[in-house]
Amino acid sequence: MLTKFYQRIARFVNHDELTARVLFFIVSVGFGLFALYGDNKPLIGPIRHEWINAFDSFVALVFFLLLQFFPATRKHYQQFGYALIYILNIGNIYLLYTTRFDVQYSYQFIVVFCISGWFFRKEAAYLYFFVIINVLLILVLLLAQKNSPPTFDFYATYLISAFAQFILLRYRFNIEDKLTESERKYRLLAENSFDLICIHNAKGELEFISPSIKRLLGYEPEDLIGHRPYEIVHNEDKPLIRSLVLNDPNHPSTQNPIQFRLRHKDGTYVWVETVFVPLESPDGASSVVLSQTRDIRKNKEYQLQLEERSKELERSNADLETFAFVSSHDMQEPLRMITNYMQLLRRKYAGKLDKEAEEYIEYANSGAANLQQLLRDLLSYSRITSSEIKCEEIDLNRLIADVLRNNQLEIKEKGAKILTENLCTVYSDRNLLMLVMQNLILNGIKYNHAEVPQVVISCKDIGTAVEFCVADNGIGIKPEHQKRIFEPFHRLHTKAEIPGTGLGLSICKKIVERMGGNIRLESEIGKGARFYFTLPK
């Protein structure tokens, strides 16, 4: 109850024109009573004391009636107030002169003068008032027949009061000028902002709307002042607006922008993004909210297009993976049949065919073997994305031992040495990690012209991940080729020089990235290659 009463009083005080009307009415009644029942002392001269009070009452009443019943005059309420202030102070100066600076009227003048100054809103208007009143007081002092003690007491008290008022009001005007300039800048920013800026009262009603609403929604600011923006929110987005908690600055509602739709004046809906910022209201008792809204229609269109294209890409990739899997799987059997029959042909007609026929059979066997290897690699490549990752704790020493056992023929044939350093335990998919290690080890042996090919495998903890290194003493790779070798089917040598399908490193890259890591290469021609890849812990 007290809060509501305080808010009403604050709204009344902040409404200057309404306050002026009330003050004019009070002054009119007060001075009217003074004229009829006050202690109207006899004055020097033809003007009677009660006439001055009656005149003050009449002027105040005229101003009140003008503001009350003629709305067109309300914009001049400040000028009316200044006029009444001049009349009251000049009347008090006349009373000082005609009562020979009576103590009662001396203090009455000082009180009215000091209070009057605080009603001035502009420094220039106050300075005019200050100068005019002081000039009149100097004239009164010069016209006084004698300087009595009451005269001296009045001017001493007045000078101290006037000086204090002047200093305080100068300080107030200085602060108000800064506030006015700051408000002007912020209003200029709000009114010319491309975004829509609004101020909402405690009930959610709009108190201020920037002119940019015309561009965004087609409305004039006056169309929505006093309304709640909830009225033009799309029905599907209203639950989102109802969930906002705008009286708590720390609530997520006021920390993050929200996206919803507002109805345009033409009936269509516009996607917008809004940030709400709770502010303290001028009365200090209720809360107001500042909102900043921008048009995100183009962003939404791009987002929807991107989502649609992503779905199309996912469907296309799925189709390609299915095609690669089916093709590589279904072609294995015909190739096995070709290989078997070529071997039967060689055994049955051994020694009966000429040398050229033997070469043809060898070419056919070699081509079938290469195609089988290519299909196996394609099958592995297509399964990487679709296969489920099954993470488990892996002892790298045991994993490398299994890789060496599975590929012992190739290793013995080359006379290669496989060394390990500081191997640790990791948490990953065993089959995928084994495939990476196998490809990198065989790659280091295959592309190697050393008398004793050597591959060194090590790993180390780098904080949030484990970094592996597979280093060899092979032929090395030129810098311009070090990124391209991870591309599918990219080969630096012919099959006659070094056999292969060009998918091994592509498979490694795809596996490592799918498990959340990355792979890179450091190499120099003739100094071998070092493949580094990371896996999250």
Side-chain angles (χ1 to χ4, degrees):
M1 182 67 72
L2 290 175
T3 300
K4 290 183 178 179
F5 176 75
Y6 173 77
Q7 291 176 1
R8 289 177 181 175
I9 294 297
R11 284 196 296 270
F12 166 73
V13 172
N14 290 326
H15 197 309
D16 290 345
E17 185 269 323
L18 179 61
T19 305
R21 267 188 282 168
V22 173
L23 290 177
F24 286 145
F25 180 77
I26 293 173
V27 169
S28 177
V29 173
F31 277 90
L33 293 175
F34 290 155
L36 294 175
Y37 306 108
D39 183 16
N40 296 301
K41 292 186 177 182
L43 307 177
I44 299 172
I47 301 176
R48 298 175 59 179
H49 193 172
E50 56 268 29
W51 291 359
I52 295 175
N53 289 333
F55 179 73
D56 292 340
S57 175
F58 173 75
V59 172
L61 180 61
V62 169
F63 289 159
F64 168 74
L65 294 175
L66 287 173
L67 296 178
Q68 185 70 26
F69 298 105
F70 298 92
T73 64
R74 289 177 183 174
K75 62 182 178 181
H76 302 296
Y77 74 91
Q78 202 170 76
Q79 287 77 7
F80 293 164
Y82 291 165
L84 184 61
I85 287 173
Y86 276 101
I87 290 171
L88 292 177
N89 281 274
I90 292 172
N92 282 332
I93 292 174
Y94 180 77
L95 290 176
L96 286 175
Y97 175 73
T98 55
T99 59
R100 301 184 186 280
F101 293 91
D102 183 82
V103 174
Q104 173 183 339
Y105 294 105
S106 296
Y107 285 109
Q108 175 180 305
F109 169 79
I110 292 173
V111 170
V112 172
F113 173 79
C114 290
I115 292 176
S116 298
W118 291 95
F119 284 91
F120 285 90
R121 290 289 181 266
K122 300 293 183 180
E123 184 176 11
Y126 167 72
L127 290 176
Y128 288 140
F129 166 75
F130 188 85
V131 170
I132 291 172
I133 296 302
N134 281 278
V135 167
L136 292 176
L137 284 175
I138 293 172
L139 290 175
V140 169
L141 178 64
L142 295 175
L143 293 174
Q145 294 181 357
K146 61 178 180 177
N147 293 326
S148 59
T151 304
F152 176 79
D153 292 343
F154 163 75
Y155 277 98
T157 305
Y158 167 73
L159 288 174
I160 295 173
S161 302
F163 179 75
Q165 182 202 56
F166 183 81
I167 296 299
L168 290 174
L169 285 179
R170 284 279 297 171
Y171 178 70
R172 190 196 87 180
F173 287 133
N174 186 40
I175 293 176
E176 288 181 351
D177 287 343
K178 291 180 180 179
L179 290 174
T180 301
E181 178 63 18
S182 177
E183 181 182 354
R184 186 189 68 81
K185 290 179 179 178
Y186 281 113
R187 182 171 289 275
L188 186 66
L189 177 64
E191 291 180 350
N192 293 277
S193 172
F194 196 72
D195 292 344
L196 171 61
I197 298 175
C198 302
I199 295 178
H200 313 250
N201 62 21
K203 297 180 180 178
E205 298 169 347
L206 292 164
E207 292 186 343
F208 169 80
I209 304 175
S210 64
S212 53
I213 192 171
K214 177 72 174 179
R215 175 193 57 79
L216 180 62
L217 297 174
Y219 300 98
E220 297 292 340
E222 296 77 17
D223 296 338
L224 296 179
I225 292 290
H227 293 266
R228 300 174 65 191
Y230 183 81
E231 300 170 8
I232 59 172
V233 172
H234 194 283
N235 289 333
E236 294 179 3
D237 299 327
K238 286 185 177 180
L240 174 63
I241 303 301
R242 284 196 295 266
S243 67
L244 297 177
V245 181
L246 300 179
N247 57 358
D248 182 4
N250 298 318
H251 194 271
S253 303
T254 60
Q255 300 294 321
N256 303 305
I258 63 170
Q259 296 181 356
F260 55 98
R261 286 159 289 183
L262 290 175
R263 188 175 66 246
H264 194 278
K265 192 172 184 179
D266 62 11
T268 60
Y269 282 89
V270 177
W271 273 102
V272 297
E273 183 177 77
T274 301
V275 178
F276 293 97
V277 181
L279 302 173
E280 185 177 340
S281 65
D283 57 28
S286 61
S287 60
V288 296
V289 175
L290 173 71
S291 67
Q292 183 173 351
T293 302
R294 63 180 49 185
D295 186 349
I296 60 168
R297 280 176 289 188
K298 290 186 178 179
N299 293 349
K300 272 293 179 182
E301 290 175 4
Y302 295 150
Q303 181 181 345
L304 293 174
Q305 291 175 6
L306 183 61
E307 290 176 356
E308 184 61 31
R309 290 180 181 178
S310 296
K311 291 178 181 178
E312 291 178 0
L313 185 60
E314 288 176 2
R315 289 193 295 266
S316 177
N317 287 339
D319 293 341
L320 286 174
E321 288 175 3
T322 302
F323 172 77
F325 177 79
V326 172
S327 299
S328 58
H329 184 272
D330 291 351
M331 290 176 68
Q332 292 284 348
E333 187 59 32
L335 280 174
R336 278 194 293 269
M337 184 181 297
I338 293 172
T339 304
N340 291 336
Y341 275 99
M342 293 304 295
Q343 289 174 354
L344 287 173
L345 185 63
R346 172 186 287 178
R347 285 197 297 268
K348 185 174 181 179
Y349 294 99
K352 298 179 181 180
L353 299 175
D354 57 18
K355 186 177 180 181
E356 190 175 8
E358 291 286 348
E359 288 181 356
Y360 291 162
I361 293 173
E362 182 61 31
Y363 289 152
N365 278 331
S366 177
N370 288 336
L371 187 53
Q372 280 183 319
Q373 182 61 45
L374 176 59
L375 292 175
R376 282 195 293 268
D377 287 347
L378 280 173
L379 191 59
S380 298
Y381 191 79
S382 65
R383 283 175 172 172
I384 293 172
T385 304
S386 58
S387 63
E388 180 183 358
I389 295 180
K390 297 179 181 179
C391 290
E392 59 181 298
E393 192 173 72
I394 303 171
D395 183 348
L396 285 177
N397 288 290
R398 294 183 60 183
L399 183 138
I400 298 299
D402 291 342
V403 172
L404 298 182
R405 185 170 55 253
N406 295 339
N407 299 275
Q408 56 185 332
L409 293 178
E410 291 89 339
I411 296 172
K412 285 183 179 180
E413 182 182 348
K414 285 280 191 176
K417 287 186 178 180
I418 310 300
L419 305 177
T420 59
E421 296 178 357
N422 304 320
L423 296 186
C424 56
T425 300
V426 296
Y427 193 75
S428 185
D429 186 294
R430 180 180 178 81
N431 293 331
L432 293 178
L433 183 56
M434 181 179 288
L435 189 55
V436 172
M437 287 296 184
Q438 176 178 294
N439 280 325
L440 292 178
I441 291 171
L442 295 179
N443 199 74
I445 295 173
K446 182 192 301 183
Y447 296 92
N448 201 313
H449 295 160
E451 185 177 347
V452 180
Q454 180 176 290
V455 178
V456 180
I457 305 162
S458 62
C459 67
K460 64 178 180 179
D461 190 324
I462 58 171
T464 60
V466 176
E467 184 179 66
F468 298 85
C469 177
V470 180
D472 62 62
N473 60 345
I475 60 177
I477 303 171
K478 292 181 180 180
E480 59 266 28
H481 297 303
Q482 291 181 8
K483 290 185 178 180
R484 296 182 60 196
I485 61 168
F486 292 104
E487 298 174 4
F489 304 110
H490 182 75
R491 293 176 53 83
L492 303 180
H493 306 84
T494 65
K495 290 185 179 181
E497 294 174 328
I498 300 177
T501 62
L503 279 172
L505 291 179
S506 301
I507 290 173
C508 293
K509 184 175 187 293
K510 194 168 185 180
I511 290 175
V512 170
E513 290 181 347
R514 185 164 185 231
M515 292 195 294
N518 58 75
I519 187 169
R520 60 187 176 88
L521 165 66
E522 292 180 1
S523 178
E524 295 180 27
I525 290 294
K527 295 185 179 181
R530 293 173 300 282
F531 288 91
Y532 295 92
F533 68 93
T534 59
L535 293 178
K537 287 183 178 180

